[in-house]
Amino acid sequence: MFTPMFKRYLLLFLVILATACNNNPKEADNKDYIYKVVGVKDGDTMVLLSPDNIQTTVRLAEVDCPEKSQAFGQAAKQFTSDLCFGKQVKLIANTQDRYGRTVGQVELSDGTNVNYALVKNGYAWQYRAYSKSEQLQSLEEQARQGHLGLWQDNNPTPPWEFRKEGKAQRATNKDAKPKKAKRHYKKRKSKYHDTTSF
């Protein structure tokens, strides 16, 4: 019924089609990467362990938690830890920051977005320099109105301002620090003289 030449072309076509389907970049991009949360450094930074035992430090995208030394900094860290430490999570990575950390969204197995949960419960600001999400903006506004978390303070300092103030303070302290005068040492003559002559 089919000629041998036709069968060869059909087989070749099927092989090419199967290869193209397996190498579809859209499918690869949508693949779920499941990790275990093995460390929480602060409210918006955690350490994930891949199934092949590779650790990845992740900075949560679009949000900024108070620094650990700021009011509610430790509370934000505790919230993140309670929410996801030791659990399986999905990482939706966006990019890498200048410190080499992966920046992305982290989701729990029940679909809870950790980034958004921090803002919703008043433990983070929407990081507007890096986020235009209307949903995050709305969640922050609701947390503000409900006086949740850090919004219990009348006028909390955003962490990016806190970091800027800290950097300026360190620079001022460095400039104000008196420089030590250099000491000049005199060479001492040895009390032992070589009197041997050749």
Side-chain angles (χ1 to χ4, degrees):
M1 186 171 151
F2 293 113
T3 66
M5 183 65 90
F6 178 80
K7 287 180 184 176
R8 279 190 212 137
Y9 281 123
L10 182 62
L11 182 61
L12 181 62
F13 173 77
L14 292 174
V15 168
I16 291 170
L17 183 64
T19 305
C21 289
N22 289 338
N23 292 329
N24 185 343
K26 285 187 179 177
E27 275 185 32
D29 290 345
N30 292 333
K31 185 177 178 186
D32 290 352
Y33 293 97
I34 304 300
Y35 296 82
K36 182 177 182 179
V37 179
V38 294
V40 175
K41 294 187 174 190
D42 57 31
D44 53 31
T45 310
M46 61 181 68
V47 181
L48 305 184
L49 186 67
S50 70
D52 51 353
N53 292 321
I54 295 172
Q55 287 192 358
T56 303
T57 300
V58 175
R59 170 67 167 82
L60 298 177
E62 300 186 76
V63 301
D64 203 1
C65 289
E67 296 295 321
K68 285 187 281 190
S69 57
Q70 255 185 296
F72 291 94
Q74 292 297 332
K77 178 181 178 181
Q78 190 62 52
F79 178 85
T80 300
S81 185
D82 291 346
L83 188 62
C84 58
F85 182 76
K87 295 182 181 174
Q88 300 291 321
V89 296
K90 178 181 170 184
L91 171 63
I92 306 158
N94 292 344
T95 184
Q96 275 201 333
D97 67 10
R98 59 184 170 163
Y99 305 108
R101 300 175 299 187
T102 299
V103 180
Q105 304 279 336
V106 172
E107 286 183 3
L108 300 176
S109 57
D110 67 2
T112 301
N113 183 305
V114 176
N115 308 47
Y116 283 45
L118 279 160
V119 175
K120 180 181 179 180
N121 290 280
Y123 292 106
W125 278 260
Q126 177 187 16
Y127 204 169
R128 288 197 172 88
Y130 300 98
S131 171
K132 303 299 177 209
S133 167
E134 290 181 13
Q135 185 181 357
L136 269 180
Q137 192 174 345
S138 174
L139 289 172
E140 183 180 308
E141 191 54 43
Q142 288 169 27
R144 255 182 221 255
Q145 290 174 1
H147 302 286
L148 302 177
L150 62 92
W151 302 112
Q152 293 171 47
D153 286 353
N154 289 332
N155 193 21
T157 303
W160 53 88
E161 288 179 16
F162 181 83
R163 290 189 292 267
K164 192 187 287 184
E165 288 168 10
K167 192 182 277 188
Q169 186 65 43
R170 286 191 296 276
T172 303
N173 291 345
K174 186 178 177 186
D175 291 342
K177 204 179 229 183
K179 293 185 179 179
K180 292 183 181 177
K182 289 186 179 179
R183 290 187 174 179
H184 298 286
Y185 296 97
K186 291 181 181 177
K187 286 189 176 180
R188 286 184 175 173
K189 287 187 178 179
S190 173
K191 60 182 177 178
Y192 303 104
H193 297 290
D194 187 4
T195 55
T196 312
S197 58
F198 294 98

